[in-house]
Amino acid sequence: MYSLRVETEFAAAHFLSHYHGKCEKLHGHNYRVRLWIKSVGLDEGGMAADFSLLKKALKEAVDLLDHTNMNDNDVFKNDPSAERIARFIFEQVTDRLPQLGINIKPSAVDVFETSTSMARYSEEPES
C-alpha cells in the first residue's frame, strides 16, 4: 500500500455558536490542511498520483474558504468546527480528483487549527 500526502494552508475566521467559551466569539486561524491518499498500485510512470494534481485539487477546495468568515457558509450550520471543515474539504477534493484524471478517492483530510490541535475526516475506519 502506498500513501501520499500533500498540504496547503489557508486563513479564515469563524465562531462556534454552540460552544461556550472563547471560541464562541469571532476569531481566526491560519489553518494547515493535509490531504492523504492510498493506492495499492502505481501507474506506468511508477506513481500512485501526480503530486501537482493533488495539490491543485486541494488548493481549489481550500480557496473556497480562504479569507472568509466560514459562518457565512451554509454547509457548516453556523458551527464551522475543524471536524466539519475537514469533511467539507474531503468532499470537495473527492469531487475534483476525477476531473483531473485521478481515480483514487482521498483516504483522509487533516485540518490543523493550531500546531497542536487537529481534526481528521476519513470514510475509512481507523485501525
Side-chain angles (χ1 to χ4, degrees), residues 1 14 17 27 29 34-36 39 44 47 50 55 57 61 68 73 79 81-82 87 90 92 104 107 115 119 126:
M1 180 69 63
H14 74 148
S17 297
H27 64 282
H29 295 282
R34 291 181 177 159
L35 167 67
W36 294 87
S39 176
E44 62 186 24
M47 296 187 298
D50 183 330
K55 289 179 197 177
T68 68
N73 190 325
D79 283 300
S81 62
R87 182 173 184 167
F90 183 99
Q92 291 293 317
I104 302 171
S107 59
S115 62
E126 292 292 319

Side-chain angles (χ1 to χ4, degrees), residues 8-26:
T8 193
E9 296 177 346
F10 73 99
H14 74 148
F15 59 90
L16 302 174
S17 297
H18 294 91
Y19 179 86
H20 302 291
K22 65 182 184 178
C23 292
E24 68 186 322
K25 296 178 183 173
L26 181 64

